[in-house]
Amino acid sequence: MPTPFLARAVSALRRFFGRPPSAEDAHRDNNRLYFSGMHQQERMLADRPRMDFYHTAIERHIHPGDHVIDLGTGTGILAAFASRRGAARVHALDHSPILKHARSLAVDNEIKNVDFISGHSSKFTLDKPVDVILHEQMGDYLFDEAMIPNVCDLRDRLLKPGGRILPACFEFYCEPVQLDTTRHVPFIWNLNVKGYDFSSMERQRPQDTDYYRLCGNDGTLVEHFLAEPAPALTFDLHTVNEATLPKDLRIQKTVTSPGRIDGLVVYFRTTVDDDLQLSSAPHDPGRAPHWGFRILRTEPADYALGDVIEVSLTVARWHDVDTWRWAHAPAAVSVSTEPALV
């Protein structure tokens, strides 16, 4: 997940030179810088569940003679998998400087039928459509790398009727959790340290949205889920559109493991052929480790067995997590527990 510091630095430069950045500009600049770093590429390549998932999906669903777009190719490894599977041509897109390494790696590995294209996918065109769009556009919050607008734009312009998107089927989770007591850090206004009361600090609540979100890679940070996990939202990239995504999710969760709610854990799962899954869930033994799960911090509250919690998540723009707002409360009215299907 790109760091806010990079986006702010680039935004400051834009302001200095007289052009205020749009949210889309900031996001693209952030991604361009973040994914050009060797360490981030190392983390993705060394993520065995991630690489196993993609290698298997490509072996199953890219066929000799296929024409393929690899969106966000990075070091080009997924494009290379597709090439070795027999794809006639792979168009590997990326707007990061990492593309120079992808080109040299392809030469070193004798990959000859991949075209590496520098620039944003929205500017890419072809004379005829492709058979497959291959991508890895999932962020820690699932939506925060603009997966839906980017993939759907290519789908609508450049994918053959009946063509395939890999991966396409996603589940988004937003679950109430209690965090590990020894490592949980409450809001400062909830602290009383040996009689020194910090409650007055609530009047000084930070306005920085990053303050209210945490990132975790160690699943033991989540002591337990208060309810049985179930997707809050499911969608298929073959049919979804950004405009059809709900902006207001309200889900009831029945408490099966009593405890204190410290936040809402956000993670995703994607599936190919029902039996091939990739997950960022904190307690999934096969979770893909380079993704962090995200904690949306909340005011604490204790819930007993059988209590019903209403979780709400309201967004203005799914790909911009600064626009997300969330809450929990004891449920007062009946709200659907089924995931939103889009």
Side-chain angles (χ1 to χ4, degrees):
M1 169 63 192
T3 61
F5 173 78
L6 291 174
R8 288 172 186 148
V10 173
S11 296
L13 289 172
R14 288 187 186 276
R15 284 192 296 271
F16 179 80
F17 288 106
R19 182 164 73 88
S22 67
E24 288 73 18
D25 285 339
H27 173 79
R28 291 177 186 179
D29 288 336
N30 201 0
N31 268 9
R32 197 159 35 232
L33 292 168
Y34 183 71
F35 288 107
S36 65
M38 287 291 188
H39 181 56
Q40 179 58 18
Q41 296 296 329
E42 291 164 356
R43 292 178 63 236
M44 291 189 290
L45 293 166
D47 185 335
R48 183 171 294 179
R50 173 186 184 267
M51 299 314 306
D52 288 348
F53 172 85
Y54 275 97
H55 188 264
T56 302
I58 289 167
E59 287 290 304
R60 290 183 184 180
H61 293 292
I62 291 182
H63 306 296
D66 278 351
H67 287 254
V68 179
I69 291 174
D70 176 19
L71 173 59
T73 194
T75 58
I77 190 167
L78 302 187
F81 288 168
S83 172
R84 289 178 170 175
R85 184 69 184 92
R89 181 61 56 184
V90 182
H91 308 280
L93 316 181
D94 209 298
H95 62 171
S96 164
I98 198 68
L99 207 61
K100 66 180 179 181
H101 300 294
R103 292 190 177 104
S104 64
L105 283 164
V107 171
D108 293 343
N109 285 276
E110 300 182 350
I111 302 295
K112 301 181 184 297
N113 59 341
V114 177
D115 298 323
F116 292 98
I117 297 101
S118 179
H120 195 269
S121 60
S122 61
K123 307 299 183 183
F124 178 66
T125 60
L126 285 171
D127 292 334
K128 55 184 180 180
V130 300
D131 302 284
V132 180
I133 295 173
L134 177 64
H135 75 95
E136 197 270 72
Q137 296 276 286
M138 300 89 80
D140 290 350
Y141 298 91
L142 181 56
F143 301 97
D144 50 310
E145 291 181 16
M147 175 179 69
I148 287 182
N150 290 343
V151 173
C152 291
D153 169 66
L154 288 177
R155 177 199 68 195
D156 294 343
R157 294 189 298 113
L158 297 176
L159 185 64
K160 286 181 180 178
R164 177 175 284 275
I165 299 170
L166 285 178
C169 296
F170 288 87
E171 297 175 343
F172 170 79
Y173 292 78
C174 186
E175 297 290 337
V177 291
Q178 177 172 313
L179 301 181
D180 176 67
T181 302
T182 60
R183 289 177 289 168
H184 171 50
V185 179
F187 293 125
I188 191 169
W189 52 86
N190 289 323
L191 290 170
N192 187 306
V193 181
K194 299 187 182 301
Y196 199 77
D197 184 6
F198 286 82
S199 60
S200 63
M201 290 291 290
E202 187 167 8
R203 297 193 296 270
Q204 309 299 321
R205 281 175 172 259
Q207 298 304 302
D208 183 357
T209 55
D210 288 326
Y211 172 77
Y212 298 94
R213 305 187 298 256
L214 303 174
C215 180
N217 285 92
D218 178 1
T220 63
L221 176 62
V222 175
E223 183 171 297
H224 67 268
F225 288 72
L226 271 67
E228 290 297 319
L233 184 65
T234 68
F235 59 89
D236 187 330
L237 288 174
H238 293 104
T239 56
V240 74
N241 286 291
E242 191 171 21
T244 64
L245 285 173
K247 300 297 180 67
D248 189 5
L249 296 179
R250 293 182 181 273
I251 308 153
Q252 286 190 346
K253 308 293 296 186
T254 300
V255 175
T256 55
S257 297
R260 178 192 67 243
I261 186 171
D262 295 317
L264 305 171
V265 62
V266 168
Y267 61 93
F268 69 85
R269 179 173 287 110
T270 182
T271 306
V272 173
D273 301 333
D274 296 329
D275 66 326
L276 184 61
Q277 294 190 346
L278 186 67
S279 169
S280 64
H283 290 170
D284 189 333
R287 77 178 301 271
H290 97 272
W291 277 287
F293 53 86
R294 292 290 174 151
I295 305 292
L296 308 180
R297 302 174 72 186
T298 67
E299 291 291 344
D302 292 321
Y303 287 101
L305 183 67
D307 284 350
V308 179
I309 308 170
E310 181 176 312
V311 172
S312 64
L313 177 64
T314 303
V315 303
R317 297 177 298 277
W318 277 101
H319 64 274
D320 182 0
V321 295
D322 284 346
T323 72
W324 292 20
R325 300 293 181 268
W326 56 90
H328 69 86
V333 296
S334 178
V335 179
S336 174
T337 60
E338 294 299 313
L341 303 174
V342 292

